[in-house]
């Protein structure tokens, strides 16, 4: 996205008084020396000294007057490439300055305001810009922490050729850099689910009713003209086509546990950040596999604009949905909740398809709630993070949990495909481990519907 603005007008400058306040040490010294020389010349009656004093005093005032008349004739713009970047990756910020006046500028010094987590504040010095000319510079920003970071305003420092006066003014344009979670490519394995996705194994239901039951839609470029429904076209005043077969999309809900009490540690290598990154990777993977995807947190909230069945659609719609969910995950933070009951209330309607959960520490009560969630879904895959082991020294050995309250065992007994997540684990490897676990359970006689993911 590009944003542009011109410099402040003369009214915004605060008048000549503000301009005089921008005199540099050199300019103030010249002015003081000129005034002193003029006073001495008046007292001593030396006309030559008076001329020198007037010259010294008028030079900084003249430079200030020049800046006062020309400082608002510069336009600035900023462009991010890209505007959405994964954590740990770099984005480039392009700045452009246009001289829209009829006179060349003096020395220009640019400074863009950026948050400290993105790096040092960039500064540039531009030589004389001819009338109608432009200058382009760029700098790189990088953050290991996800979030939304404002860039701007762009500050422009104008100075004259003699260095007598400097004026620093800010443009009004801002941009926002969105740092999304890291995403890991996942292998196409087959996990427990409700049905095959809308991909190679998709199922279709043919329209078996008459014309009155046909579901029409607007004509799209590339549609076969033989599918145009002329009666509905005449009724609506635009081309309408028959939608004679509807794809049966499998549904997938990705649950992210954001409870602050369930995770220990902070920073880009913490357990919570791993869970957020895993959620992002899973959402994108399921969208690519053709599933109707929904993001859910322990608070019961989902992505703004998400439909009741989640995000699904054409390739462009899926790309837009992916961007919306990544923007949501970029700013997700710990919640104050203590349980998963709100998420269960959302899922208790049943028929949720495949449920994939990224969980922090669980007690017996929350493991029971998750068992009820599994009964409301076509299949469940849980990645359980032991945040204590993530926060401690990796060389330390965690004490084994009580056999009676082991949440991993309770989840598996409730029908979940549950995988323990050690520190620094690869999601792709855990993804395959979940597939192997499902295969082992199926071979022992426990069956469930399969879904290719």
């Amino acid at each position: 996205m590009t944003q542009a603005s011109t410099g402040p007008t003369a009214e915004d400058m605060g008048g000549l008084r503000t301009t005089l306040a921008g005199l540099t040490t050199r300019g103030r010294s010249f002015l003081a020396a000129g005034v002193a020389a003029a006073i001495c010349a008046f007292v001593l009656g030396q006309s030559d000294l008076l001329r020198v004093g007037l010259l010294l005093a008028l030079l900084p005032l003249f430079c200030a007057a020049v800046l006062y008349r020309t400082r608002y004739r510069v336009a600035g713009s900023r462009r991010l490439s890209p505007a959405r970047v994964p954590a740990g990756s770099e984005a480039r910020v392009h700045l452009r300055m246009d001289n829209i006046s009829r006179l060349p500028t003096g020395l220009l010094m640019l400074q863009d305001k950026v948050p400290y987590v993105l790096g040092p504040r960039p500064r540039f010095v531009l030589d004389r810009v001819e009338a109608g000319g432009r200058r382009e510079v760029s700098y790189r920003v990088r953050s290991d922490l996800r979030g939304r970071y404002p860039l701007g305003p762009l500050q422009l420092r104008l100075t004259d050729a003699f260095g007598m006066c400097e004026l620093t003014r800010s443009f009004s344009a801002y941009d926002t850099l969105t740092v999304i979670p890291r995403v890991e490519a996942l292998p196409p394995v087959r996990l427990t689910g409700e049905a095959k996705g809308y991909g190679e194994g998709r199922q279709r239901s043919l329209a078996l009713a008459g014309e009155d039951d046909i579901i029409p839609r607007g004509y799209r470029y590339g549609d076969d003209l033989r599918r145009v429904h002329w009666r509905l076209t005449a009724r609506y005043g635009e081309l309408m086509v028959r939608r004679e077969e509807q794809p049966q999309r499998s549904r997938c809900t990705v649950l992210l546990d954001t409870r602050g009490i369930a995770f220990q540690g902070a920073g880009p290598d913490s357990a919570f950040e791993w869970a957020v990154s895993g959620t992002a990777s899973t959402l994108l993977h399921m969208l690519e596999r053709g599933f109707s995807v929904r993001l859910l947190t322990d608070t019961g909230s989902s992505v703004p604009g998400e439909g009741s069945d989640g995000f699904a659609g054409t390739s462009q719609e899926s790309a837009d949905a992916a961007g919306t969910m990544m923007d949501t995950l970029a700013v997700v933070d710990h919640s104050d909740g203590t349980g998963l009951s709100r998420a269960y209330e959302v899922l208790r309607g049943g028929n949720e398809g495949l449920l994939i959960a990224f969980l922090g520490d669980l007690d017996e009560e929350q493991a029971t709630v998750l068992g009820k969630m599994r009964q409301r879904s076509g299949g469940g895959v849980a990645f359980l993070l032991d945040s204590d082991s993530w926060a401690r020294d990796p060389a330390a050995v965690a004490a084994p949990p009580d056999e009676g309250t082991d949440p991993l065992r309770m989840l598996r007994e409730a029908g979940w495909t549950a995988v323990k997540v050690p520190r620094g684990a690869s999601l792709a490897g855990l993804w395959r481990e979940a597939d192997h676990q499902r295969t082992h359970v199926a071979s022992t006689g426990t069956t469930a519907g399969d879904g290719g993911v």
Side-chain angles (χ1 to χ4, degrees), residues 250-256 279 282-283 286-287 291-297 300-303 306-312 321 325 343-356 376-377:
S250 289
R251 301 168 63 182
C252 175
T253 299
V254 182
L255 172 64
L256 173 62
T279 301
T282 302
L283 288 170
M286 302 307 289
L287 271 177
F291 279 70
S292 178
V293 179
R294 177 170 63 172
L295 171 62
L296 183 66
T297 66
S301 61
S302 57
V303 180
E306 187 179 66
S308 59
D309 293 336
F311 286 109
M325 290 188 289
Y344 172 67
E345 292 296 327
V346 176
L347 297 176
R348 67 184 305 174
N351 193 27
E352 294 297 333
L354 180 63
L355 176 60
I356 303 177
R376 301 292 182 178
S377 62

Side-chain angles (χ1 to χ4, degrees), residues 8-22 64-65 67-69 71 165 167 169:
T9 61
E11 290 76 11
D12 298 328
M13 289 299 186
L16 186 58
R17 180 180 302 177
T18 304
T19 306
L20 293 177
L67 288 182
Y68 176 76
R69 293 182 58 84
R71 63 184 177 274
C165 185
L167 293 178
R169 294 294 177 262

